Amino acid sequence: MTAPIARGTPAYRRLTLAMLFAGFSTFSLLYAAQPLLPVFAGEFQLSAEASSLAVSFATGPLAIGILVLGAVSDRVGRRGVMVWAMFLASAFGIAAGLAPGWRALLACRLLTGVALSGVPAVAMAYVGDEVDADSVGSAMGLYIAGSALGGMGGRLAASLVASVADWRWALGVVGVTGLVMAEAFRRLAPPSRGFARAEPGGAALLRDAALPWLYLEAFVLMGVFITVYNYAAFRLEAAPYRLSRATVGAIFLLYTLGSASSAWFGGVAGRVGRRRVFPAPVLLLAAGVALTAARPLAVVMLGIAVVTVGFFGAHSIASAWVGRRAGAAKGRASALYLSFYYLGSSVLGSAGGVAWTRGAWPGVVWFCLLLSAVALAGAVALARVRPVVV
């Protein structure tokens, strides 16, 4: 059997660069609509929670689709599934910019989410298959760093283009960029060498002592993160701040902190141990939420920055942890993790809109602190789980 890819080798550099492109493409396409929610609310005469469907209609189908394609990848391989998914999602992203109305836009967003389901769960499994155990944490951290950069780049590009043109051009530019990233991934990603076909089944994945807790973490952590970013624009464009759309879009530059956080926390967890490190980013997430309750703009921005660092650090650790617990069924385990992750985005992201409508930003803060408390309880439970022997 071919030796797994180790950190520092040319193959590792090609793989991690390809994964950076995959993460960038996926999350720029998925969340390009997020900074445009106030635009959709105004143009289509929608409430805040109704406009959030432009995000939820992509993340909801993604949560379901990855369960199917994660299992498919356990049977047929990873790389090909990812290539097709990236190209199709980019095409649907371009189509969203051409949509004649709100319903057509939602339909294109739904198809984008379905297509993108072939990337995230398969990406986690692909890295787990190809990279040696000591390098998985840092490799996943770099993939999530690409995800953070993509999330930032897609949102920022959409904000800037929409400020000088309109939302159609914004979505179209992000879609074309996705096509470029898809081709880069196709050229760089090494052929699968460590893939082993897994047999059908997987009930054991739910009986594992740690995996259900990790699925819960994915759900609530993403719920906090998406809620903060979904409704921060509504708050910052209103009194007393009244920031311009382009200025509000600049908050997504904070994703660079998430990119660094994911790589750093992933590396530290690999050296020190996931159980010891995991509570730290969860506590950071909660502290950041609390800071956003302040009135001074600088403190609000600091709070969003801390939320970003905490979220990406926790996600980096948890996603690598899933692969270590799952054995040969990495595709299905990763799919379940990410299904809960995107369900958190879809369900809790929209629920956060209700909190905003009924309680303004204080309602959002209390909603997110409740979710953060659940995440911290899960971190305590995970610290008591016996390590898996590999």
Side-chain angles (χ1 to χ4, degrees):
M1 181 176 178
T2 306
I5 296 172
R7 185 171 11 185
T9 62
Y12 181 85
R13 288 190 287 272
R14 285 176 59 87
L15 182 142
T16 52
L17 184 57
M19 298 310 295
L20 281 169
F21 286 130
F24 191 101
S25 173
T26 299
F27 286 86
S28 61
L29 288 165
L30 189 60
Y31 290 115
Q34 190 177 49
L36 304 176
L37 298 186
V39 179
F40 297 147
E43 179 163 337
F44 299 109
Q45 298 182 342
L46 305 169
S47 65
E49 56 265 35
S51 70
S52 74
L53 293 177
V55 176
S56 297
F57 260 57
T59 56
L62 184 78
I64 298 169
I66 58 179
L67 294 175
V68 176
L69 289 176
V72 168
S73 78
D74 277 340
R75 301 288 291 169
V76 305
R78 325 287 190 196
R79 184 181 179 279
V81 172
M82 292 179 66
V83 170
W84 277 103
M86 291 173 68
F87 276 107
L88 285 172
S90 300
F92 290 130
I94 295 171
L98 302 173
W102 178 241
R103 292 183 179 180
L105 172 61
L106 291 182
C108 290
R109 292 291 294 163
L110 185 149
L111 291 172
T112 301
V114 171
L116 284 176
S117 64
V119 180
V122 179
M124 292 170 65
Y126 177 56
V127 171
D129 285 342
E130 306 303 325
V131 178
D132 68 28
D134 291 338
S135 304
V136 165
S138 59
M140 278 306 304
L142 287 168
Y143 165 65
I144 295 171
S147 302
L149 290 172
M152 177 195 72
R155 290 166 164 103
L156 185 58
S159 295
L160 294 176
V161 174
S163 70
V164 297
D166 63 17
W167 63 266
R168 297 180 183 281
W169 278 100
L171 295 180
V173 166
V174 174
V176 171
T177 303
L179 287 177
V180 175
M181 298 292 103
E183 177 61 17
F185 177 86
R186 188 188 69 82
R187 291 173 179 268
L188 287 169
S192 294
R193 302 184 302 172
F195 171 71
R197 180 177 295 181
E199 295 303 317
L205 295 177
L206 294 176
R207 294 195 298 267
D208 181 85
L211 288 175
W213 287 109
L214 290 167
Y215 301 151
L216 175 65
E217 293 291 343
F219 184 74
V220 295
L221 291 171
M222 186 55 167
V224 173
F225 182 70
I226 198 69
T227 295
V228 168
Y229 272 93
N230 268 359
Y231 304 106
F234 288 93
R235 183 189 185 191
L236 296 175
E237 289 183 14
Y241 308 109
R242 299 195 183 280
L243 300 182
S244 69
R245 185 162 298 132
T247 303
V248 171
I251 69 172
F252 297 110
L253 289 170
L254 295 174
Y255 266 54
T256 56
L257 300 176
S259 179
S261 169
S262 61
W264 187 80
F265 272 109
V268 171
R271 296 190 301 270
V272 178
R274 297 176 181 88
R275 288 162 184 78
R276 292 183 178 181
V277 177
F278 187 62
V282 176
L283 286 170
L284 280 175
L285 181 79
V289 169
L291 284 171
T292 67
R295 186 178 178 88
L297 181 60
V299 180
V300 174
M301 293 295 101
L302 175 62
I304 296 174
V306 175
V307 165
T308 305
V309 169
F311 169 74
F312 279 103
H315 177 42
S316 175
I317 295 169
S319 58
W321 207 338
V322 168
R324 292 287 291 166
R325 300 286 308 192
K330 292 182 182 71
R332 277 166 288 172
S334 298
L336 276 170
Y337 174 84
L338 288 170
S339 180
F340 280 93
Y341 179 89
Y342 290 112
L343 281 173
S345 176
S346 183
V347 175
L348 297 179
S350 292
V354 177
W356 164 259
T357 299
R358 295 187 177 180
W361 195 256
V364 170
V365 169
W366 282 111
F367 176 73
C368 291
L369 286 176
L370 176 61
L371 296 179
S372 299
V374 174
L376 187 59
V380 172
L382 282 163
R384 299 174 179 174
V385 173
R386 178 176 297 180
V388 67
V389 178
V390 180

